[in-house]
Amino acid sequence: MNGTPAYDNAALQEAAKRNMWLHFTRHSSYQNADVPIIVRGEGQYVYDQHGKRYLDGLAGLFVSQIGHGRVEVAEAAARQASELAYFPLWSYAHPRAIELAERIANYAPGDLNRVFFTTSGSEAVESAWKLAKQYFKLTGQPNRYKVLSRAIAYHGTTHGALAITGLPDIKIPFEPLPAGGVRVPNTNFYRAPAFVADDVTAFGQWAADEIERAILREGPESVAAIYLEPVQNSGGCFPPPPGYFARVREICDQYGVLLVSDEVICAYGRLGYMFGCERYGYQPDVITFAKGVTSGYSPLGGMIVREHLMEPYWKDQTSFLHGVTFAGHPVSCAVALANLDVFEKEDLLGNVRANEGAFRATLEKLNDLPIVGDIRGDGYFYGIEMVKDKATRETFDDAESERLLRGFMSHALFDAGLICRADDRGDPVIQLSPPLTCTQEHFDEIEQILRSVLTEAWTRI
Ligand SMILES: Cc1ncc(COP(=O)(O)O)c(C=O)c1O
């Protein structure tokens, strides 16, 4: 079975259905169907319990930048577990966390020099909010606690991060959420308001000016931070219009609001740079990261903070009253260092920059299909929006979306050997975020599978 270990599928299925609770999953859909079980990974591919191969077009969950099965990264984990498996970062440090913090600070633009580790993206997002709130209390602006973020943006699922997330459906069951989340428009140019629909720069200006209007409406003295992804994932990859981030930076400076670049997806090469903000030329006050920092060989997240934001925390008896047990875990830090070594040895940023044009061009071949409305993204990060009518951009109603995405496409793509995401949290999109090692052969495989599944989907509307 091409190196795939043999498993007893019936036993695994029974145990999975009996004891597991999967995330964001309708368990009812597995009542009469097998749970997909991935047992092995190698390069850009993963294998299921039957030995069937899939192109990992989503890098797991926007995670596996260097691809699967890297023995040198696994060995770094084993070495570290033998040397020092665990010690907390509460009052102590350990060499791998120190080395990693230094390395990340050296990569990060400007004076983003201070690294606070977490174990996940949601924790990173929460940490940045808490940092901002305590920072403003320490510096005589105690009323600044609100946080702006964009419509349909996903920033995580813990209560604080969920308050920042802009997807109503995943918030409603958990309300009331912590107070202070405020929404501003996203940068989906395909769905731009009519008065700026013909001019992407004017659209970007409008979207950024809406941030200023929101700050003024809320009262500038109450706003702590704005969270923006370099390219917004949820909704299907919205890159920033030209001039957008320059205007946002100006607004943040004018009103004393911290700019948090949520790079849980966009950092570590996804857009061809260590950090997405570098690609679009803006300086954040905080970068939140997770996922690609270890390529998933072990969990790790964190935030990188500008030097001056730590200054008030240096004084007297003050400390940042926040921490989690496994943050900056030694094994995860060792893995992150080994992961970043692979980035450098194989020039993965160079690979993305050299091949992103080919990736885009290959996906754009799909524009001849009637169901393809918009193909957007940058780097190795794309969304394909599906429409019912290309000319009018009419989208699918809820029932059609349900039938098409959940009822057909998700299974059909998987059956055809492509892992990607058919997502209807905004308008229906397919999301792609393959390992950074991918080249033309993988782009072609993605295009061919999408072509056949999208063609069939059109006949089923
Ligand atoms: C932009 C962004 N922020 C935060 C998160 C939350 O990260 P995690 O799932 O590691 O908590 C995600 C997860 O996908 C994300 O995409």
Side-chain angles (χ1 to χ4, degrees):
M1 287 231 306
N2 59 29
T4 306
Y7 282 98
D8 176 346
N9 184 46
L12 279 182
Q13 290 298 331
E14 205 211 335
K17 291 179 189 185
R18 189 178 54 237
N19 295 123
M20 284 208 73
W21 196 334
L22 302 176
H23 298 209
F24 281 110
T25 301
R26 288 185 193 169
H27 272 260
S28 61
S29 65
Y30 294 132
Q31 240 158 19
N32 299 311
D34 272 5
V35 177
I37 299 174
I38 300 299
V39 302
R40 186 172 80 83
E42 189 180 321
Q44 300 85 358
Y45 294 90
V46 292
Y47 296 79
D48 71 10
Q49 74 275 32
H50 308 293
K52 184 177 166 193
R53 190 178 90 152
Y54 301 84
L55 177 54
D56 188 3
L58 205 63
L61 198 55
F62 315 97
V63 166
S64 309
Q65 317 293 70
I66 62 172
H68 301 275
R70 301 277 196 163
V71 173
E72 69 267 45
V73 182
E75 285 173 350
R79 268 197 310 278
Q80 184 58 44
S82 311
E83 185 179 308
L84 177 71
Y86 175 71
F87 221 73
L89 295 181
W90 302 42
S91 305
Y92 303 93
H94 55 76
R96 296 301 93 72
I98 297 169
E99 289 157 15
L100 182 60
E102 182 183 36
R103 188 149 171 190
I104 290 174
N106 286 339
Y107 288 136
D111 61 345
L112 282 157
N113 290 334
R114 198 58 72 167
V115 182
F116 182 94
F117 289 113
T118 67
T119 62
S120 72
S122 296
E123 278 176 8
V125 165
E126 297 257 2
S127 300
W129 194 3
K130 289 181 75 175
L131 159 89
K133 286 167 84 171
Q134 194 182 348
Y135 169 82
F136 284 122
K137 286 200 166 67
L138 289 170
T139 54
Q141 303 180 74
N143 297 324
R144 283 193 191 263
Y145 70 96
K146 293 179 188 166
V147 174
L148 273 55
S149 58
R150 296 186 288 202
I152 332 179
Y154 181 84
H155 294 285
T157 49
T158 51
H159 269 80
L162 195 56
I164 301 172
T165 284
L167 289 154
D169 287 353
I170 65 165
K171 294 160 71 101
I172 290 165
F174 310 104
E175 286 172 341
L177 291 166
V182 177
R183 284 304 83 70
V184 293
N186 59 45
T187 60
N188 183 0
F189 185 55
Y190 188 66
R191 301 281 175 199
F195 60 93
V196 281
D198 295 329
D199 181 345
V200 69
T201 305
F203 168 63
Q205 204 67 26
W206 166 81
D209 287 345
E210 280 296 303
I211 293 170
E212 180 176 41
R213 281 189 272 279
I215 292 172
L216 291 172
R217 210 168 43 238
E218 295 296 325
E221 70 293 341
S222 72
V223 181
I226 177 162
Y227 280 63
L228 303 170
E229 292 164 88
V231 173
Q232 180 175 324
N233 169 47
S234 193
C237 280
F238 308 144
Y244 176 78
F245 273 113
R247 177 71 187 120
V248 170
R249 183 68 262 182
E250 199 174 82
I251 293 165
C252 287
D253 289 342
Q254 183 175 354
Y255 297 102
V257 171
L258 301 183
L259 173 51
V260 180
S261 194
D262 184 354
E263 306 214 7
V264 167
I265 290 178
C266 291
Y268 305 107
R270 183 57 45 211
L271 299 171
Y273 292 77
M274 267 305 168
F275 299 102
C277 57
E278 295 174 275
R279 179 171 184 132
Y280 305 113
Y282 67 94
Q283 175 68 45
D285 298 303
V286 180
I287 292 176
T288 49
F289 67 86
K291 299 192 188 260
V293 67
T294 61
S295 286
Y297 285 76
S298 190
L300 184 69
M303 59 174 173
I304 322 167
V305 179
R306 288 180 80 176
E307 199 59 48
H308 73 96
L309 292 176
M310 200 201 181
E311 262 161 38
Y313 289 96
W314 275 117
K315 292 188 187 133
D316 307 324
Q317 293 165 6
T318 309
S319 60
F320 182 28
L321 294 168
H322 181 57
V324 285
T325 301
F326 283 145
H329 192 282
V331 172
S332 298
C333 290
V335 158
L337 289 163
N339 177 50
L340 294 169
D341 286 346
V342 174
F343 269 67
E344 291 189 4
K345 261 200 316 252
E346 298 183 13
D347 187 20
L348 291 185
L349 303 183
N351 190 55
V352 173
R353 290 190 211 175
N355 289 308
E356 64 171 314
F359 187 30
R360 177 189 288 271
T362 307
L363 292 178
E364 283 179 347
K365 288 188 196 168
L366 298 168
N367 268 325
D368 64 347
L369 300 178
I371 198 170
V372 171
D374 195 26
I375 298 173
R376 54 192 177 234
D378 270 328
Y380 274 19
F381 189 31
Y382 273 86
I384 300 175
E385 180 166 339
M386 291 164 287
V387 288
K388 206 153 87 176
D389 185 322
K390 230 174 158 96
T392 63
R393 302 186 181 184
E394 183 186 354
T395 191
F396 298 98
D397 63 30
D398 287 351
E400 288 164 337
S401 226
E402 173 75 25
R403 196 156 41 82
L404 200 67
L405 265 71
R406 292 183 192 266
F408 171 66
M409 290 200 58
S410 295
H411 307 288
L413 288 164
F414 188 70
D415 290 347
L418 176 63
I419 295 187
C420 61
R421 188 173 191 178
D423 190 5
D424 62 354
R425 292 179 297 178
D427 294 311
V429 290
I430 292 171
Q431 288 167 304
L432 294 162
S433 159
L436 310 183
T437 51
C438 283
T439 55
Q440 188 63 47
E441 62 177 300
H442 309 106
F443 309 151
D444 287 338
E445 192 175 340
I446 290 172
E447 192 268 342
Q448 280 151 21
I449 293 175
L450 287 176
R451 174 170 296 280
S452 87
V453 172
L454 287 168
T455 302
E456 174 153 6
W458 184 249
T459 67
R460 290 170 172 252
I461 294 168

